[in-house]
Amino acid sequence: MIKYIKKGIALMVVAICFMNMQCSENDEIEVDSDNLLIGVWVDPVYKDETTTFKRAASLPEEAYGISFKENGDFILRSSGWCGTPPLTFFDANGEWTLDNKLITISQETFPDSYSWRIISLTEDELIVKRELTEQEKEHRALIKLYNEIYELSVSDTCLNSDDWFFAAYGAKACGGPQGYIAYSKNIDVEAFLAKVEVYTNLEKAFNEKWNIFSTCDIAPQPKSVDCVNGYPVLKY
């Protein structure tokens, strides 16, 4: 009986020591009162467009985490974009700058440059929102304009193929149009084609500004438009 009591006491001592070690480790978390951003942030929680991090003493061995160094160095511990098990975590080094509440990060891996807007920052918690780059904003504007063109192109029910034609749209970085889009002769054709021209010119300027690459194959030109279940279908 005494042997078991001693064994139990020993286990309790080990447990208490382990708890003290954990407390000691938590006490080792350093906070720079002049810049609360500096340090290690882990356990990301994603909600809508924001990400919430918790402060930690060090980066985890097998989990996502980020580190902002006082000298401007940045470390991302990640398993990459694929996320297919078994996960292997690695460090991607980079740099960071802070302008007001905008964190700009450049790193070795894709994406090589991005920004976070600080929504909230305390000693224990960091909440950020992904800030779109100028290139991403321009690309979204292009997508929005194309969607407007597409909605116009299908705004009329396709019943008679003689009432339909097609137009080239967009600009591939290597030259030539992205493709062709059908449109009804019953809509405001002049306004539709003008919008297509604006989109094409904007995409060409976008490609040149951001050094966009593309394949150099030529988009085939359709021969006609057929009506299938009320929708226009390009025929080659």
Side-chain angles (χ1 to χ4, degrees):
M1 177 65 71
I2 295 175
K3 181 174 69 173
Y4 289 112
I5 292 174
K6 289 183 177 180
K7 185 176 182 181
I9 293 173
L11 290 173
M12 288 177 63
V13 171
V14 171
I16 292 171
C17 290
F18 180 73
M19 291 173 64
N20 289 336
M21 287 174 63
Q22 285 187 315
C23 293
S24 176
E25 287 178 359
N26 290 334
D27 291 339
E28 291 179 1
I29 298 179
E30 296 183 2
V31 178
D32 188 332
S33 58
D34 294 327
N35 188 346
L36 294 178
L37 183 62
I38 294 174
V40 175
W41 300 95
V42 300
D43 296 334
V45 176
Y46 305 98
K47 182 179 180 181
D48 298 328
E49 296 182 351
T50 65
T51 305
T52 301
F53 293 94
K54 292 181 181 178
R55 190 185 294 275
S58 60
L59 288 170
E61 292 294 329
E62 299 295 331
Y64 181 94
I66 55 176
S67 174
F68 296 96
K69 301 287 188 179
E70 187 176 6
N71 62 359
D73 288 345
F74 175 78
I75 301 175
L76 167 68
R77 180 156 296 173
S78 169
S79 60
W81 287 89
C82 184
T84 302
L87 300 180
T88 301
F89 286 83
F90 60 90
D91 288 349
N93 297 314
E95 298 177 345
W96 69 275
T97 59
L98 179 63
D99 182 8
N100 195 3
K101 290 188 176 183
L102 184 66
I103 310 169
T104 301
I105 298 169
S106 58
Q107 61 187 35
E108 300 169 341
T109 59
F110 178 85
D112 56 3
S113 180
Y114 53 96
S115 299
W116 284 333
R117 176 74 59 181
I118 297 177
I119 305 301
S120 175
L121 175 59
T122 67
E123 291 187 357
D124 304 312
E125 184 181 77
L126 168 65
I127 303 177
V128 295
K129 178 181 178 182
R130 182 79 155 80
E131 188 86 356
L132 294 178
T133 64
E134 183 181 356
Q135 181 179 355
E136 288 172 322
K137 290 177 181 178
E138 291 182 12
H139 187 255
R140 285 196 175 189
L142 278 173
I143 293 175
K144 181 180 178 182
L145 181 54
Y146 176 80
N147 287 338
E148 292 175 6
I149 292 170
Y150 175 77
E151 290 299 324
L152 284 173
S153 74
V154 296
S155 61
D156 190 31
T157 304
C158 188
L159 299 175
N160 186 349
S161 60
D162 292 337
D163 294 333
W164 289 76
F165 199 55
F166 54 84
Y169 74 90
K172 300 187 71 171
C174 209
Q178 287 284 4
Y180 292 83
I181 190 167
Y183 64 90
S184 171
K185 299 175 184 177
N186 296 323
I187 66 173
D188 188 338
V189 174
E190 184 176 351
F192 175 80
L193 294 179
K195 192 179 285 283
V196 171
E197 183 178 5
V198 169
Y199 174 84
T200 299
N201 290 335
L202 285 175
E203 185 170 37
K204 182 178 180 180
F206 178 86
N207 293 339
E208 293 174 352
K209 179 178 181 179
W210 300 108
N211 296 318
I212 303 299
F213 294 93
S214 73
T215 59
C216 294
D217 54 309
I218 299 174
Q221 180 173 323
K223 295 180 179 179
S224 62
V225 180
D226 277 359
C227 294
V228 179
N229 297 324
Y231 287 92
V233 177
L234 297 174
K235 305 298 290 187
Y236 295 89

